[in-house]
């Protein structure tokens, strides 16, 4: 059953050694060429009447990435008021940022006054917006349901998801809109439709049905959820393949209604997931005997990458042995936290279960590369657990030169807000 050991996606042993020597491990390494490919893929998304691509910054919110994406012409999707401030401090204008949040921030009125686009994600949010901006322009995020007929592949849509206004409450939404004389200019749906063109076409049809109900809407935002293949057996989304049937739906809608709707998309994962590797060091190797396992302990773990512990997510792992033996072995790879859930090789979708991985034989001190670590890793981890400081981040350009884009967190920062009891 075991597959043969993988090679790192883009890190060469020489560049990896240079980065460790200069910046230490664990360190997130972003690859500029891969980031550019993702940008080109999304900016080329088929569309009938114009396209805006927003980077869903929660996937990885480091400033240098936001600058890179906005310099390339992308706009920003923020998931909280704090993310809006984080993007704005880099000089990104508020009118290039849109907010779709589970929690409408206290200062939403001020942010909207500066140009921030707001998508009301619940009836309560819509009412609060309307009370503050009677006659104002707003977007509505709907949960269009799982749809009928086809397979249910959604993970942020359907009755088990709290994101957006449930489609059956459209009457109540219209009532709030009318009460505050609001102008609904944008419809938003984000249901994580994956890589299947048939699902995308169905979702865009359902979303256009919502657009039909609001005559002033000029923009339909279909969110993100473009899956990537981290592991060799996974299927990646081809933007051309899923986008063409969506563009056709928009053309059909225009023929029928005379309305030319502008498309917005909000990729997070697609732009960063495979453009970043987490570079770590094997800091111990232990065995639990003949009926047990061989464990590799990294100097990283859930403090940088939580997805395996959380969802049983699979990430490619490769060893760069200092002295290659040419042999491969089955290992359980674990993190450095005193927490039995800190594991990098769970069974797929089963975070509770150990699943040995075939890797090049490893020794203490060897480099270990965890690939597909660009999305929901640095930005979503058990940061500072066991008081491990936040990892450094570097960006490698075409010449292989690593540029530091986030310093390793100084230890003192972990306790700087604490207030000790008096002596
Ligand atoms: C998280 C999120 C995205 C990005 O999702 P990916 O799966 O990373 O592409 C886009 N839009 C909204 C509203 C989100 O919350």
């Amino acid at each position: 059953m075991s597959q043969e050991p993988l090679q790192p996606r883009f890190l060469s042993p020489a560049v990896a050694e240079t980065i460790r020597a200069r910046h230490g491990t664990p360190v997130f390494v972003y690859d500029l060429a891969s980031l550019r490919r993702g940008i080109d893929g999304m900016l080329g998304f088929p569309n009938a009447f114009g396209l805006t691509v927003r980077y869903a910054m929660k996937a990885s919110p480091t400033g240098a990435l936001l600058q890179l994406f906005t310099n390339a012409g992308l706009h920003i999707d923020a998931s909280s008021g704090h993310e809006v401030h984080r993007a704005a401090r880099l000089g990104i204008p508020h009118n290039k940022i849109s907010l779709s949040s589970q929690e409408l921030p206290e200062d939403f009125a001020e942010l909207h006054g500066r140009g921030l686009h707001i998508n009301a994600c619940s009836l309560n949010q819509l009412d609060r917006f309307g009370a503050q901006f009677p006659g104002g322009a707003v977007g509505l995020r709907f949960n269009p349901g799982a749809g009928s007929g086809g397979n249910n592949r959604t993970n942020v849509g359907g009755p088990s998801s709290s994101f957006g206004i449930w489609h059956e409450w459209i009457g109540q939404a219209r009532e709030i809109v009318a009460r505050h004389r609001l102008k609904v200019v944008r419809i938003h749906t984000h249901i994580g439709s994956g890589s299947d063109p048939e699902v995308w076409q169905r979702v865009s049809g359902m979303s256009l049905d919502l657009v039909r109900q609001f005559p002033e809407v000029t923009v339909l935002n279909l969110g993100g959820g473009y899956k990537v293949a981290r592991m060799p057996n996974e299927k990646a989304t081809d933007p051309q393949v899923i986008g063409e049937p969506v563009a056709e739906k928009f053309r059909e809608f225009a023929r029928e209604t005379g309305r030319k709707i502008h498309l917005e998309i909000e990729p997070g994962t697609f732009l960063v997931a495979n453009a970043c590797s987490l570079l770590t060091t094997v800091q111990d190797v232990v065995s639990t005997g003949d009926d047990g396992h061989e464990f590799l302990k990294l100097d990283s773990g859930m403090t940088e990458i939580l997805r395996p512990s959380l969802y049983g997510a699979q990430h490619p792992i490769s060893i760069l042995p200092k002295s290659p033996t040419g042999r491969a072995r089955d290992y359980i790879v674990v993190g450095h936290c005193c927490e039995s859930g800190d594991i990098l090789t769970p069974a797929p979708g089963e975070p509770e279960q150990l699943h040995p991985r075939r890797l090049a034989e490893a020794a203490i001190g060897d480099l270990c590369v965890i690939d597909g670590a660009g999305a929901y890793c640095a930005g979503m981890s058990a940061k500072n657990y066991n008081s491990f400081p936040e990892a450094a981040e570097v960006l490698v350009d075409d010449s292989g030169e690593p540029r530091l884009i986030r310093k390793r967190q100084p230890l003192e920062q972990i306790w700087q807000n604490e207030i000790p009891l008096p002596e």
Side-chain angles (χ1 to χ4, degrees):
M1 274 300 283
S2 309
Q3 60 195 32
E4 282 317 293
L6 299 172
Q7 294 301 315
R9 185 176 278 273
F10 60 80
L11 262 177
S12 70
V15 170
E17 274 303 352
T18 303
I19 293 171
R20 173 162 67 177
R22 289 201 205 154
H23 304 293
T25 57
V27 55
F28 287 95
V29 184
Y30 295 87
D31 177 52
L32 186 59
S34 306
L35 290 166
R36 287 214 185 101
R37 271 198 300 280
I39 292 169
D40 291 345
M42 281 292 132
L43 287 177
F45 200 92
N47 63 88
F49 308 108
L51 172 74
T52 300
V53 181
R54 297 183 179 279
Y55 171 52
M57 66 178 280
K58 72 178 188 292
S60 188
T62 300
L65 297 177
L66 303 188
Q67 290 175 303
L68 195 90
F69 289 130
T70 50
N71 289 343
L74 273 59
H75 294 207
I76 296 289
D77 160 54
S79 292
S80 74
H82 302 294
E83 282 194 346
V84 174
H85 286 288
R86 199 166 174 178
R89 72 172 270 278
L90 297 166
I92 299 171
H94 287 80
N95 65 11
K96 288 198 172 170
I97 308 173
S98 109
L99 176 70
S100 303
S101 181
Q102 289 281 74
E103 180 181 343
L104 195 61
E106 291 291 337
D107 59 351
F108 80 90
E110 194 189 327
L111 295 173
H112 182 62
R114 290 188 209 151
L116 174 72
H117 304 283
I118 293 183
N119 294 318
C121 296
S122 72
L123 295 172
N124 165 60
Q125 286 191 11
L126 182 59
D127 196 33
R128 276 175 67 196
F129 181 92
Q132 191 69 232
F133 295 102
V138 71
L140 294 185
R141 177 172 179 180
F142 279 103
N143 176 343
S148 52
N151 42 9
N152 179 6
R153 303 222 178 167
T154 62
N155 51 24
V156 284
S160 306
S161 164
S162 71
F163 300 101
I165 299 167
W166 181 241
H167 61 102
E168 289 173 318
W169 312 145
I170 192 165
Q172 293 173 54
R174 296 169 74 106
E175 191 270 319
I176 297 169
V177 164
R179 176 148 41 88
H180 298 296
R181 295 174 288 106
L182 291 170
K183 192 171 154 189
V184 179
V185 293
R186 198 168 42 254
I187 295 293
H188 181 290
T189 58
H190 162 71
I191 65 168
S193 302
S195 54
D196 185 337
E198 188 265 329
V199 175
W200 276 101
Q201 188 165 37
R202 187 158 48 79
V203 168
S204 51
M206 283 155 57
S207 303
L208 284 165
D209 285 341
L210 293 164
V211 171
R212 194 173 275 122
Q213 315 241 8
F214 295 93
E216 293 176 311
V217 166
T218 55
V219 175
L220 173 58
N221 185 322
L222 290 175
Y226 312 92
K227 295 234 159 41
V228 299
R230 293 184 182 81
M231 300 295 282
N233 61 340
E234 290 173 354
K235 187 165 160 23
T237 307
D238 181 338
Q240 295 299 320
V241 170
I242 58 161
E244 202 36 66
V246 171
E248 185 46 39
K249 279 275 177 206
F250 277 58
R251 284 190 285 266
E252 239 172 64
F253 185 81
R255 281 195 293 272
E256 184 194 318
T257 64
R259 298 167 63 190
K260 296 182 171 170
I261 302 296
H262 183 93
L263 173 67
E264 285 191 4
I265 52 174
E266 289 173 341
T269 301
F270 186 93
L271 288 169
V272 284
N274 279 330
C276 175
S277 306
L278 174 59
L279 182 62
T280 72
T281 300
V282 176
Q283 46 91 16
D284 212 343
V285 184
V286 304
S287 159
T288 47
D290 289 345
D291 298 326
H293 298 283
E294 296 289 306
F295 291 89
L296 296 184
K297 296 188 185 179
L298 306 182
D299 62 352
S300 176
M302 64 199 297
T303 44
E304 281 73 39
I305 174 169
L306 192 56
R307 303 177 73 252
S309 315
L310 206 56
Y311 320 120
Q314 303 292 298
H315 285 260
I317 300 176
S318 38
I319 304 293
L320 300 175
K322 202 167 270 170
S323 320
T325 65
R327 285 188 293 270
R329 301 190 69 156
D330 287 338
Y331 289 111
I332 300 293
V333 182
V334 300
H336 53 183
C337 289
C338 295
E339 157 62 49
S340 54
D342 190 7
I343 170 185
L344 286 124
T345 53
E350 303 274 358
E352 312 275 306
Q353 230 173 294
L354 305 184
H355 194 66
R357 188 78 70 87
R358 194 90 178 149
L359 301 174
E361 190 165 39
I364 292 171
D366 284 348
L367 283 165
C368 173
V369 177
I370 300 163
D371 270 313
Y376 308 105
C377 293
M380 187 192 84
S381 64
K383 220 157 255 188
N384 293 161
Y385 184 46
N386 287 201
S387 299
F388 285 109
E390 204 172 75
E393 298 181 28
V394 301
L395 174 64
V396 179
D397 68 14
D398 307 333
S399 69
E401 187 60 25
R403 169 198 288 270
L404 192 63
I405 58 170
R406 175 193 294 281
K407 292 186 218 170
R408 190 171 306 286
Q409 184 183 33
L411 191 55
E412 307 77 56
Q413 258 188 19
I414 295 177
W415 57 73
Q416 74 181 8
N417 294 327
E418 294 179 14
I419 302 172
L421 294 174
E423 291 288 311

